[in-house]
């Protein structure tokens, strides 16, 4: 049974729905787009399968997410945020601002990293350039970033052809894009170097604005 505070308060009622452990991280992982159950499980390897099932059922019954079948040839069941999702995005963006003050040094932390998580942490501050964006096909779920609706978006699936594809170990990818290392030798990059440089400059500036910097 999910926690229920039984308080006539919007904060309490929000926490009745999303206050359980793992729930906000599930919503975070659904922000870039719908995912299959196994993809959600792969992104949260520390979460028991039965708990993931309970959390998804709870969010679905609360009307926060929906389950649907993708049309052929995919023909699979996915979970996604119900429209509109801007309220969830605003809540997560607010937590980004709070959480950045507690972040460890990204160059030394042993914590697990994903490109999508890091990009969503800086996304509100990124002055995204136009173009096809950057694609990261080696992630647990392939992800890309691009400019859409005059803002930086982190997405799983888009019809646009990416301008630049970046492959390599996630810590090295993030260290290079956020300016913690200047040597891209650990990465395999396909696409125009000027667009990669433009995105890197935008990401470095955003990282500095949110305080994502190495320890002195």
């Amino acid at each position: 049974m999910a926690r229920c505070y039984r308080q006539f308060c919007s904060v309490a009622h929000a926490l009745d729905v999303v206050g359980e452990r793992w729930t906000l991280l599930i919503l975070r992982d659904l922000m870039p787009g719908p995912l299959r159950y196994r993809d959600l499980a792969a992104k949260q390897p520390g979460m028991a399968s039965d708990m993931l099932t309970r959390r998804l059922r709870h969010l679905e019954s609360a009307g926060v997410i929906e389950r649907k079948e993708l049309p052929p040839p995919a023909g699979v069941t996915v979970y996604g945020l119900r429209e509109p999702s801007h309220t969830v995005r605003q809540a997560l963006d607010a937590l980004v601002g709070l959480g950045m003050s507690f972040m460890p040094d990204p160059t030394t932390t042993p914590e697990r990293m994903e490109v999508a998580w890091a990009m969503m942490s800086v996304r509100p501050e990124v002055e995204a350039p136009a173009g096809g964006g950057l694609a990261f096909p080696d992630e647990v779920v392939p992800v890309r970033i691009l400019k859409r609706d005059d803002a930086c978006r982190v997405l799983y699936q888009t019809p646009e052809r990416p301008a630049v594809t970046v492959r390599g170990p996630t810590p090295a990818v993030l260290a290079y894009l956020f300016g913690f290392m200047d040597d891209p030798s650990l990465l395999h990059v396909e696409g125009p170097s000027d667009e990669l440089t433009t995105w890197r400059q935008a990401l470095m500036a955003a990282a500095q604005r949110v305080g994502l910097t190495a320890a002195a």
Side-chain angles (χ1 to χ4, degrees):
M1 180 69 66
R3 178 187 295 118
C4 182
Y5 291 102
R6 299 188 183 280
Q7 296 180 7
F8 187 73
C9 166
S10 59
V11 174
H13 279 273
L15 292 175
D16 285 347
V17 177
V18 301
E20 295 287 345
R21 188 177 183 222
W22 300 103
T23 302
L24 282 171
L25 298 184
I26 293 172
L27 296 179
R28 175 204 62 189
D29 288 338
L30 292 178
M31 284 302 304
L35 288 175
R36 297 172 296 181
Y37 180 94
R38 70 180 186 183
D39 292 329
L40 279 166
K43 290 173 74 66
Q44 299 294 342
M47 186 181 188
S49 178
D50 60 339
M51 182 177 292
L52 175 57
T53 298
R54 291 198 302 271
R55 295 292 186 266
L56 290 172
R57 286 175 178 170
H58 177 61
L59 289 170
E60 187 177 6
S61 66
V64 179
I65 68 173
E66 61 183 349
R67 179 175 42 175
K68 58 185 178 181
E69 296 286 333
L70 293 182
V76 296
T77 301
V78 295
Y79 295 87
L81 296 176
R82 282 187 177 275
E83 293 295 338
S85 61
H86 66 273
T87 302
V88 175
R89 177 178 285 114
Q90 289 171 352
L92 291 177
D93 284 349
L95 286 174
V96 164
L98 175 63
M100 290 308 301
S101 61
F102 307 118
M103 292 286 282
D105 185 333
T107 62
T108 59
T109 180
E111 295 177 345
R112 183 166 171 253
M113 296 183 177
E114 286 197 16
V115 167
W117 300 344
M119 293 302 174
M120 290 177 68
S121 293
V122 301
R123 182 198 61 77
E125 293 291 335
V126 176
E127 296 179 2
L134 308 182
F136 306 91
D138 290 345
E139 291 294 290
V140 173
V141 179
V143 70
R144 65 184 299 172
I145 58 172
L146 74 166
K147 184 175 184 178
R148 178 173 286 181
D149 300 326
D150 292 324
C152 178
R153 297 296 184 216
V154 183
L155 303 169
Y156 293 131
Q157 300 292 337
T158 65
E160 300 93 343
R161 181 182 180 87
V164 181
T165 298
V166 183
R167 296 179 181 272
T170 299
V173 169
L174 296 177
Y176 179 72
L177 291 178
F178 291 142
F180 295 107
M181 76 173 191
D182 294 321
D183 180 11
S185 60
L186 293 177
L187 311 181
H188 179 69
V189 179
E190 298 176 1
S193 59
D194 57 340
E195 180 143 355
L196 176 62
T197 298
T198 301
W199 268 100
R200 183 172 184 252
Q201 291 172 343
L203 291 168
M204 288 169 59
Q208 290 177 352
R209 282 194 288 271
V210 300
L212 187 62
T213 59

